[in-house]
Structures are given as C-alpha cells and as structure tokens.
C-alpha cells in the first residue's frame, strides 16, 4: 500500500538553486492519496471542535477547504497583500531577503472562535506565525497549526513555540 510520502513529488532546485520543493500536485491528482492525507490531518486534530479552518495562500487552500467541510467548520483564506476584496487587517513578516505581507478579512473570525490553521509545508514558520497573529488580533483561539509536512532543518516549530503544531510528515 502506498504511504502518504509516496504521493509527494520532490523537485530539486525549484524555485531556486538549493531548494528541494515538495510538490503536492501529485497527491491532489490521486483521490486515494487525497483521502489518506485528509484522514491523517483529521487524526492529528484528535476530535477537537473547530469553528474555522484558516488556509494560507495558496497551497493551504486545498486541504484547508476539505478539512473545513469534514469538520463542519467555515473556511477562511489568508492571502498575499491586495488579493482580498473586503476590508482587511495585515501582518508584515521577514523573508530571507525583504518582507512579505499577508491579509485576512476583518470579519472572517469572531471573538472566541476555535481555529485550525493549515498549510501544506512548514518551512521557516514565518507565514504561520504571521497568520497566528492575524487570528489573535481578531480574537480567535488557535487550537492547532497543522501541516502536511514540516522541514525540521528550518526550525519552523521553534518560531511557533507555545502553539500546538502537528504535521503528517517530517523531513
Ligand atoms: P515559511 O513561511 O518559511 O514557513 O514558508 C511556508 C510557505 O512556503 C508555505 O506556504 C509553503 O507552501 C512554502 N514552502 C516553503 N518551502 C517549501 C518547500 N520546500 N516546498 C514547497 N513549499 C514550500
């Protein structure tokens, strides 16, 4: 039987030299792989009640939406600056060179709502940390940050210390 890691394609030197890109399009192409991934992510949550699943642009949208549907929760996209049409709040975070800005709609999370954060890959943790800040500014309670994969050599989990971080696979 195929394992979850078998569905993920690794591409060397994309988008630049030295990066090994974890490609989930091969996982998404396969309904068995997608089901396996979704069930694994749900198991990591261990039955916690969730009001909103927040997915990060753009690969966090795929399983974020599927998770929300399974959990009978709403889905909320966090997007790069300038993409969301309604009133937003934003967070600026550091990249290797320069900064990036992500946004969330101001009415996307209500005070006290229980939130699951989801993305495909936890790398340095910058995106996830900024997402946590956005949710907390809106009064949401972060139940778990959940990823398909985490890249341990980039220490993203350290940046998320204090949060419940779970990942289906570790590299
Ligand atoms: P970071 O903020 O450094 O944790 O980066 C997380 C974001 O970058 C996620 O949205 C990932 O989709 C993407 N990402 C970072 N590294 C990789 C990688 N090696 N393969 C695929 N996606 C990656």
């Amino acid at each position: 039987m195929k394992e979850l890691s078998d569905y993920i394609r690794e591409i060397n030197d994309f988008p630049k030299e030295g990066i090994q890109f974890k490609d989930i399009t091969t996982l998404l192409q396969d309904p068995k792989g997608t089901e396996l991934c979704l069930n694994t992510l749900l198991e990591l949550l261990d039955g916690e009640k969730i009001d909103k699943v927040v997915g990060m642009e753009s690969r966090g949208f795929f399983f974020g939406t599927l998770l929300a549907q399974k959990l009978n929760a709403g889905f909320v996209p966090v997007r790069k600056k300038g993409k969301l049409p309604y009133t937003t709040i934003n967070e600026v975070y550091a990249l290797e060179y320069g900064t990036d800005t992500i946004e969330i709609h101001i009415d996307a999370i209500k005070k006290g709502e229980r939130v699951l954060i989801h993305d495909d890959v936890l790398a340095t943790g910058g995106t996830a940390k900024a997402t946590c800040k956005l949710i907390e500014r809106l009064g949401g309670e972060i139940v778990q940050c959940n990823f398909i994969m985490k890249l341990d050599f980039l220490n993203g989990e350290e940046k998320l210390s204090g949060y419940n971080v779970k990942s289906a696979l570790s590299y």
Side-chain angles (χ1 to χ4, degrees):
M1 216 175 82
K2 273 174 95 169
E3 291 177 23
L4 182 54
S5 56
D6 298 331
Y7 291 97
I8 292 156
R9 176 164 57 189
E10 293 174 335
I11 299 178
N12 290 324
D13 300 320
F14 182 88
K16 51 186 180 187
E17 222 180 300
I19 307 268
Q20 188 192 60
F21 193 86
K22 306 289 188 195
D23 177 20
I24 61 164
T25 64
T26 39
L27 168 65
L28 291 163
Q29 272 180 40
D30 191 311
K32 282 210 169 62
T34 299
E35 188 183 24
L36 174 62
C37 185
L38 183 57
N39 288 338
T40 307
L41 293 171
L42 284 168
E43 275 165 27
L44 296 176
L45 194 60
D46 204 18
E48 291 271 16
K49 188 191 165 332
I50 298 295
D51 299 306
K52 295 273 169 64
V53 179
V54 172
M56 283 90 109
E57 180 168 355
S58 58
R59 289 181 300 275
F61 295 171
F62 302 121
F63 283 96
T65 316
L66 293 170
L67 282 165
Q69 189 60 216
K70 282 276 184 196
L71 293 165
N72 195 28
F75 175 76
V76 173
V78 159
R79 299 207 63 181
K80 297 274 166 64
K81 191 179 167 66
K83 303 276 189 184
L84 288 169
Y86 186 58
T87 311
T88 57
I89 58 166
N90 69 55
E91 280 287 334
V92 180
Y93 61 100
L95 298 173
E96 194 179 353
Y97 304 104
T99 62
D100 218 339
T101 304
I102 53 170
E103 298 184 327
I104 193 169
H105 275 151
I106 198 154
D107 62 350
I109 310 277
K110 311 266 178 300
K111 265 200 177 62
E113 279 190 326
R114 293 169 57 79
V115 174
L116 172 67
I117 293 178
H118 169 77
D119 204 355
D120 64 338
V121 175
L122 174 64
T124 66
T127 314
K129 183 71 190 283
T131 302
C132 289
K133 286 188 188 164
L134 287 174
I135 291 161
E136 285 171 344
R137 281 170 62 193
L138 295 178
E141 182 196 330
I142 297 162
V143 175
Q144 187 176 101
C145 303
N146 124 335
F147 304 91
I148 302 173
M149 292 161 269
K150 63 185 172 71
L151 308 179
D152 288 338
F153 55 93
L154 293 173
N155 298 322
E157 224 172 328
E158 256 169 49
K159 203 171 264 162
L160 297 177
S161 67
Y163 295 102
N164 170 20
V165 178
K166 288 277 160 65
S167 177
L169 299 167
S170 294
Y171 292 87

